[in-house]
Amino acid sequence: MVLGGPGEIQNNRWDFTDSTVAFSGVAWKITLPGYGTILFETGKTVFDLTTGTIIHDTGHNQLNEQDFAALCEVLTP
């Protein structure tokens, strides 16, 4: 599926035999003009569909890692 501009895609692989879904690529990003990207998820994440937990997570994952430093910097007056 294409979520953004050219080159911004996310591949999803659903495996119902072991109840997992794997997402890889740029899941999403928030960019502010004049500042740049302030929050984004990239890499590969594997979820257990039965429990809803993350089994594997690689890449730059600010939401999963709760890394909100750039977002807070932009929102601070």
Side-chain angles (χ1 to χ4, degrees):
M1 77 177 98
V2 176
L3 299 177
E8 296 177 3
I9 63 169
Q10 179 183 9
N11 296 309
N12 303 326
R13 186 179 66 85
W14 296 80
D15 187 341
F16 295 106
T17 59
D18 66 358
S19 297
T20 61
V21 60
F23 304 101
S24 60
V26 179
W28 52 267
K29 71 178 182 177
I30 299 172
T31 304
L32 293 178
Y35 190 83
T37 304
I38 59 167
L39 195 65
F40 61 106
E41 291 285 316
T42 63
K44 181 177 182 180
T45 304
V46 180
F47 288 97
D48 183 320
L49 294 170
T50 305
T51 64
T53 59
I54 296 173
I55 298 171
H56 179 77
D57 194 24
T58 61
H60 194 85
N61 301 294
Q62 289 177 293
L63 185 63
N64 292 343
E65 296 169 4
Q66 298 186 2
D67 175 10
F68 304 115
L71 179 62
C72 290
E73 182 180 331
V74 169
L75 296 176
T76 303

